[in-house]
Amino acid sequence: MKYIFVTGGVVSSLGKGLTAASLGTLLEARRLRVVLQKFDPYLNVDPGTMNPFQHGEVYVLNDGAETDLDLGHYERFTNCVLTRHNNLTSGQVYETVILKERRGDYLGKTVQVIPHVTDVIKDRIRELSDESKYDVAITEIGGTTGDIEGLPFLEAIRQFILEVGPQNVINVHVTLVPYIKAAHELKTKPTQQSVAKLREIGLQPQVLICRTERPIDRDVRRKLSMFCSVSEKAVIEERDVEHTIYEVPLTLHAEGLDQLVCDLLHLETPEPDLVDWRQFVERVVSPKRRSKIAVVGKYMDVRDAYKSIYESLTHAAASEDCGIDLKLIDAESLERGVDAQFKDAAGVLIPGGFGARGVEGKINAARYAREHNIPYLGLCLGMQVATIEFARNVCGLKHANSTEFDKDTPEPVISLLEEQHGIRNMGATMRLGTWPTKIIKGTLAEKLYGDIEVTERHRHRYEFNMKYRDQMTAKGFVISGTSPDGALAELIEVRDHPYFVGCQYHPEFQSKPNKPHPLFKGFIQACLTYRADRAPRVAADPLSLRRVREEELVPQG
Ligand code: GLN
């Protein structure tokens, strides 16, 4: 088993996660079995409670772990399917140590950072060391070298290298080489200092990946090599990509990174097969056509808040040889109505979310999309607002709402399960991770998935209230997917609309380049056929010909 530790120097936001993931892509293309892992030095136990402004999106894994968005890059860029073991925060490390101490597991010893904290960290690396499954483990250390919080992780790596032998480990250091305009020069000093910081802790990087705006010339490479004790060919340039993050593996390959890493780790591998990846990148970079998609959310200035959604749109669009122009709309700006903002949008997407802020704007957006036959994709909260909208404006339940936004609503079309059963204060925990969904035959969903049972990732508390099922389905609301026992609505559509789909789960966590998610793919296909000038101005008659037969709306068995 071989180990690669990816550290970061000088500043944060260098795209270390992307770099680690891209290295994973390259090694997999050389037929190695790769697993990735992230260590986060912050003290939160997981990012689940962090605000998207702080931390970007929370990425959910199959087992329900709420993790850092870099794990999203790992899953999208490689074939590995991650679990909660692949993300470790300082909060979890200390939680483990303190629980052990309270149980008396340390047998009266003084509990210390070395060895007790570092042991927990090393155990986590060893957990991945399963040679029957993997050849290489890539571990990314969050934060920047020199941060106080990061020290125990770096110390654990130092010890780990001693234990497994230096021939089995490399440290890849991702660093910044800034260009100073006034001097017309790329500067190596920050990198030298951050490598010096690593050496102080007893770590010597073997590879430097230099994030830079400008090409790094021979002189700069020599200087970095000499001051940082890294061979010249191990100074790798990672310039800002021109078009898409999916170019990163290709630029790193052009710099010789994958060959270098295999040489350093004594791995014999074939040349990488990057044909499919290149084709995908080409389609992203120069698509034949373009489509404008409106995304209505709360964190429109934080690009990372809806990361997986934007990536999923890219994957789906590329599969249709289409480019995406995103129109990001703040939901609060739609509270008084929707019009001009949607004029040129070929599709409307509403992401997940928590809390009442912006909800009425999202409901207005869903109404506009339904009435104007604009393709609509609602994810989690996006499905819930579409349901509320339909209940209010088609079924005449004027006060329909979710109990999340109005505790005492007389028409709780979205509510907590325990509220539906009259139980109060049960303490609502989130439904997290993968759950099966039974797709109802004859629905658009069946066409899209081409399957009648699918598994999807969840992160929510509230559910569609089945009490309203008959009343709503009679008006053209279709429950096209349910939990296997039929008790929970997982997927909805609106009859007689070209594409109006909402899902209670998060399909965006299971989309990859060259493997777009069916709901996103269907959405993009619908957007490509949508023509604003042809769309009727009012909703189709709810009593018109049905696409789904009544008996199929009720889940069987
Ligand atoms: N706030 C909603 C719920 O808890 C939706 C959650 C989400 O969109 N992830 O059910």
Side-chain angles (χ1 to χ4, degrees):
M1 186 89 192
K2 304 287 181 180
Y3 303 89
I4 299 172
F5 293 101
V6 180
T7 52
V10 187
V11 289
S12 59
S13 307
L14 284 180
K16 224 182 330 148
L18 211 52
T19 305
S22 301
L23 180 53
T25 311
L26 293 175
L27 297 181
E28 275 193 351
R30 287 180 172 264
R31 307 236 187 97
L32 292 165
R33 295 162 308 161
V34 177
V35 63
L36 287 114
Q37 179 180 41
K38 170 117 197 243
F39 288 165
D40 277 311
Y42 50 72
L43 286 167
N44 305 59
V45 171
D46 65 41
T49 51
M50 278 192 242
N51 180 325
F53 281 123
Q54 284 274 306
H55 195 264
E57 89 180 353
V58 172
Y59 187 80
V60 181
L61 305 179
N62 276 338
D63 66 356
E66 299 175 272
T67 68
D68 186 87
L69 57 81
D70 278 325
L71 275 82
H73 291 312
Y74 303 168
E75 285 198 332
R76 284 189 283 270
F77 275 65
T78 69
N79 293 313
C80 59
V81 178
L82 306 173
T83 69
R84 60 183 68 251
H85 297 281
N86 300 73
N87 193 191
L88 180 70
T89 67
S90 290
Q92 288 167 27
V93 174
Y94 287 108
E95 196 184 36
T96 309
V97 170
I98 289 168
L99 276 174
K100 277 179 142 189
E101 188 272 337
R102 291 290 85 186
R103 271 203 313 260
D105 290 2
Y106 294 117
L107 305 173
K109 288 201 191 93
T110 307
V111 181
Q112 293 175 299
V113 172
I114 307 171
H116 303 108
V117 166
T118 48
D119 277 354
V120 173
I121 299 170
K122 283 190 292 178
D123 285 349
R124 197 49 91 80
I125 308 168
R126 274 203 206 88
E127 268 176 38
L128 292 186
S129 308
D130 182 349
E131 296 215 311
S132 67
K133 284 209 214 120
Y134 311 116
D135 303 305
V136 185
I138 302 176
T139 305
E140 178 196 345
I141 324 298
T144 308
T145 308
D147 293 347
I148 292 176
E149 291 93 336
L151 283 176
F153 289 99
L154 299 176
E155 167 59 19
I157 292 169
R158 188 192 64 77
Q159 295 172 21
F160 190 80
I161 297 174
L162 206 61
E163 289 163 23
V164 297
Q167 70 283 9
N168 296 318
V169 189
I170 54 168
N171 171 199
V172 173
H173 192 56
V174 183
T175 177
L176 176 72
V177 179
Y179 180 76
I180 304 296
K181 263 208 196 105
H184 298 289
E185 240 185 304
L186 284 166
K187 290 293 181 189
T188 64
K189 188 78 81 196
T191 299
Q192 293 177 37
Q193 284 173 343
S194 104
V195 170
K197 255 301 170 266
L198 272 179
R199 287 213 208 98
E200 232 171 69
I201 308 159
L203 291 177
Q204 166 64 53
Q206 285 72 39
V207 181
L208 285 182
I209 297 191
C210 305
R211 295 283 295 106
T212 168
E213 288 169 51
R214 308 261 170 149
I216 299 185
D217 64 20
R218 195 69 205 277
D219 281 348
V220 176
R221 283 178 199 256
R222 267 200 211 116
K223 213 165 158 187
L224 283 166
S225 158
M226 209 267 286
F227 282 105
C228 303
S229 281
V230 168
S231 76
E232 211 180 301
K233 67 171 191 301
V235 177
I236 304 285
E237 172 188 303
E238 189 188 324
R239 221 174 330 147
D240 298 344
V241 285
E242 230 176 292
H243 309 279
T244 155
I245 54 169
Y246 299 101
E247 287 170 71
V248 177
L250 302 178
T251 54
L252 292 177
H253 172 66
E255 281 282 297
L257 176 69
D258 44 319
Q259 186 62 60
L260 172 78
V261 165
C262 290
D263 291 346
L264 287 167
L265 290 171
H266 314 285
L267 286 164
E268 296 254 347
T269 57
E271 279 298 305
D273 176 3
L274 292 165
V275 176
D276 288 352
W277 196 274
R278 269 187 219 286
Q279 264 174 11
F280 170 75
V281 171
E282 267 160 37
R283 280 198 304 266
V284 175
V285 173
S286 38
K288 284 217 181 73
R289 45 201 171 162
R290 305 198 69 82
S291 193
K292 185 171 260 178
I293 312 283
V295 179
V296 182
K298 273 201 299 194
Y299 306 101
M300 302 332 285
D301 301 333
V302 191
R303 268 312 255 231
D304 280 353
Y306 302 116
K307 180 120 220 145
S308 295
I309 294 173
Y310 300 147
E311 296 310 323
S312 302
L313 286 171
T314 303
H315 305 156
S319 76
E320 299 298 317
D321 209 347
C322 164
I324 295 279
D325 297 315
L326 286 177
K327 181 162 189 171
L328 306 181
I329 301 175
D330 183 352
E332 282 179 292
S333 73
L334 304 181
E335 261 159 21
R336 262 183 236 99
V338 176
D339 205 7
Q341 295 99 319
F342 281 11
K343 272 227 162 66
D344 49 352
V348 175
L349 186 149
I350 301 196
F354 294 83
R357 185 165 72 83
V359 161
E360 289 302 321
K362 291 179 189 176
I363 292 173
N364 288 340
R367 176 177 195 170
Y368 191 91
R370 183 179 55 77
E371 291 184 342
H372 291 79
N373 278 347
I374 304 178
Y376 177 91
L377 181 58
L379 311 175
C380 210
L381 179 64
M383 172 256 196
Q384 297 175 353
V385 294
T387 305
I388 296 168
E389 186 282 310
F390 195 93
R392 285 186 192 171
N393 302 314
V394 181
C395 306
L397 303 167
K398 287 278 163 279
H399 301 287
N401 214 332
S402 162
T403 53
E404 178 180 8
F405 316 125
D406 177 3
K407 239 178 26 276
D408 304 312
T409 170
E411 310 287 2
V413 290
I414 305 289
S415 66
L416 296 174
L417 272 187
E418 48 263 40
E419 288 171 349
Q420 295 170 24
H421 296 128
I423 309 164
R424 293 241 163 226
N425 300 329
M426 280 273 291
T429 39
M430 283 236 238
R431 187 146 78 104
L432 281 169
T434 291
W435 294 80
T437 291
K438 191 174 68 175
I439 305 292
I440 310 304
K441 293 208 183 95
T443 59
L444 172 62
E446 193 203 6
K447 257 196 236 141
L448 296 170
Y449 276 110
D451 209 341
I452 52 161
E453 185 166 320
V454 298
T455 53
E456 295 279 4
R457 298 184 188 179
H458 291 247
R459 181 172 184 252
H460 64 104
R461 286 197 179 85
Y462 296 81
E463 306 278 356
F464 175 74
N465 188 345
M466 284 294 192
K467 208 179 95 189
Y468 293 92
R469 181 176 64 192
D470 295 346
Q471 196 176 349
M472 289 182 64
T473 52
K475 296 277 191 195
F477 187 80
V478 179
I479 295 174
S480 50
T482 66
S483 54
D485 64 359
L488 303 172
E490 296 279 25
L491 195 55
I492 62 119
E493 21 191 281
V494 168
R495 202 182 57 216
D496 307 321
H497 186 289
Y499 192 96
F500 195 100
V501 174
C503 50
Q504 188 53 84
Y505 44 78
H506 291 276
E508 70 271 25
F509 297 141
Q510 300 210 74
S511 170
K512 284 176 187 238
N514 292 323
K515 244 191 252 162
H517 190 284
L519 297 187
F520 278 91
K521 192 173 162 75
F523 176 62
I524 297 290
Q525 285 169 340
C527 294
L528 285 170
T529 48
Y530 172 76
R531 292 271 177 287
D533 48 344
R534 273 202 262 131
R537 291 281 111 185
V538 287
D541 173 8
L543 296 173
S544 65
L545 201 67
R546 298 181 165 184
R547 194 168 57 216
V548 187
R549 288 202 311 275
E550 193 74 47
E551 58 273 26
E552 283 172 346
L553 300 177
V554 185
Q556 277 111 50

